[in-house]
Amino acid sequence: MREDRAYLAPELAERLGGEDLLGWAAAAEGEVFREVKGRSTLRVLIGGQPYFLKRHLGVGWLEILKNWMVGKRPVLGAENEYRACRHLAARNLPAPRVAAFATEGGNPARRRSFVLCEELSGHDSLEAVAAQWAHQPPSPLARRRLILAMARFVRRLHEAGVAHRDLYICHLMLDRQQWAQGEARLAVLDLHRARLQPKLSAYWRKRDLAALLFSTLDLDLPAISRLRFLRTYSGRPLREAFAEQPRFWRAVARRAQALHDKAGRRGLTTGRRA
């Protein structure tokens, strides 16, 4: 089968090489982390090694039409995550490593697919890290190091032509061991909505940056932290960054505040999808 229809990492060839991959994924059992209509995420063990299995069972024509009517491209299966993770791995950007993938063709509303990724062991989400700050505030140096690492990582992500489309701090992962040694190394996960472009447009960069800003609005960060992020992400002195793209940065701030207001009306906390 073509690699754009199925993929199996060499280390799993002996265990799953003779399997109908879609059949194996449908029957696999593990700890359920998320289950919504047409999609589920499980943590499974294969040969004692932890993986995350994301199964897509088709979204239905109604969901496809609803997305198109509001100008969104519907997520039809696991292909987005598979391609995004492989794309980032080829550019040395940390993301879950793909171990297996399969999809079937035919009716897009009922298309079955899955992606199996290695667990990002030894990482904590930035949301979990920030939750500890209320009881154990970080030193100014640690906070600065983390803010700059975020800015550099998101810049590289966008330079690689990847729009995450769910870029909240809960999806940015901090390497625990490196952080204990004073170095902030990040990875990204949950790429099922990711969009790849040869050169990422300002529209998608704005949406990612607004989502990231929204998810930090309740952290009581000093203004200097946000300005450091902006300077590092843009690669320009602040005066030049604001002078070159004033409308862009105002649009980022407006959208972040709109997401925050919407989350407040729904009783949701920041750091999670609004």
Side-chain angles (χ1 to χ4, degrees):
M1 188 178 288
R2 301 190 336 244
E3 190 171 301
D4 63 344
R5 293 291 181 185
Y7 168 78
L8 187 61
E11 66 270 17
L12 292 183
E14 184 175 340
R15 293 181 179 275
L16 302 180
E19 297 268 4
D20 164 22
L21 289 178
L22 284 169
W24 170 83
E29 297 181 351
E31 182 184 358
V32 177
F33 269 67
R34 182 173 175 81
E35 191 161 15
V36 295
K37 184 179 180 181
R39 179 163 52 92
S40 60
T41 301
L42 294 82
R43 184 178 186 269
V44 299
L45 294 176
I46 303 176
Q49 298 300 312
Y51 296 85
F52 276 93
L53 171 66
K54 294 192 176 183
R55 300 186 293 208
H56 294 253
L57 304 177
V59 296
W61 283 114
L62 180 60
E63 186 66 22
I64 291 175
L65 291 173
K66 283 167 56 180
N67 276 266
W68 283 120
M69 287 175 66
V70 296
K72 295 181 180 180
R73 186 165 66 178
V75 177
L76 301 178
E79 295 93 334
N80 279 3
E81 189 137 16
Y82 167 66
R83 292 184 179 128
C85 287
R86 298 288 299 275
H87 181 85
L88 292 176
R91 288 152 182 81
N92 200 32
L93 272 162
R97 179 175 173 271
V98 175
F101 160 78
T103 183
E104 62 182 6
N107 186 338
R110 295 186 176 182
R111 183 179 300 160
R112 292 189 305 151
S113 62
F114 82 90
V115 63
L116 180 74
C117 294
E118 291 181 353
E119 181 180 74
L120 279 174
S121 300
H123 288 71
D124 296 315
S125 77
L126 292 189
E127 182 181 55
V129 172
Q132 300 172 5
W133 290 359
H135 311 290
Q136 193 175 10
S139 69
L141 178 61
R143 183 173 57 210
R144 178 178 181 175
R145 187 175 290 137
L146 195 53
I147 291 292
L148 296 183
M150 287 173 56
R152 286 191 291 265
F153 187 87
V154 175
R155 180 179 177 180
R156 289 184 63 202
L157 187 74
H158 288 170
E159 287 176 345
V162 179
H164 188 283
R165 298 182 65 201
D166 266 332
L167 192 62
Y168 309 114
I169 58 172
C170 58
H171 294 151
L172 291 175
M173 310 297 290
L174 180 66
D175 187 309
R176 196 180 306 131
Q177 183 177 2
Q178 293 297 322
W179 184 239
Q181 296 174 7
E183 185 173 353
R185 290 190 184 179
L186 299 180
V188 64
L189 45 66
D190 276 3
L191 290 147
H192 70 278
R193 300 183 71 224
R195 184 184 184 99
L196 304 182
Q197 291 181 337
K199 183 177 181 180
L200 203 61
S201 68
Y203 173 84
W204 292 112
R205 290 192 300 112
K206 176 193 74 175
R207 294 176 74 89
D208 267 3
L209 290 169
L212 189 61
L213 176 58
F214 150 72
S215 66
T216 66
L217 285 179
D218 288 344
L219 298 184
D220 197 27
L221 291 174
I224 189 64
S225 292
R226 305 189 194 282
L227 293 175
R228 282 175 177 148
F229 179 97
L230 190 155
R231 182 179 60 196
T232 303
Y233 173 85
S234 66
R236 297 277 194 278
L238 289 174
R239 187 183 299 273
E240 290 182 17
F242 285 125
E244 290 176 6
Q245 292 185 304
R247 294 178 62 185
F248 175 82
W249 293 111
R250 284 198 296 267
V252 168
R254 283 196 302 269
R255 180 170 176 81
Q257 189 60 52
L259 290 171
H260 189 268
D261 294 344
K262 184 177 180 180
R265 291 193 299 271
R266 294 185 177 184
L268 301 176
T269 58
T270 60
R272 296 180 172 84
R273 188 172 176 183

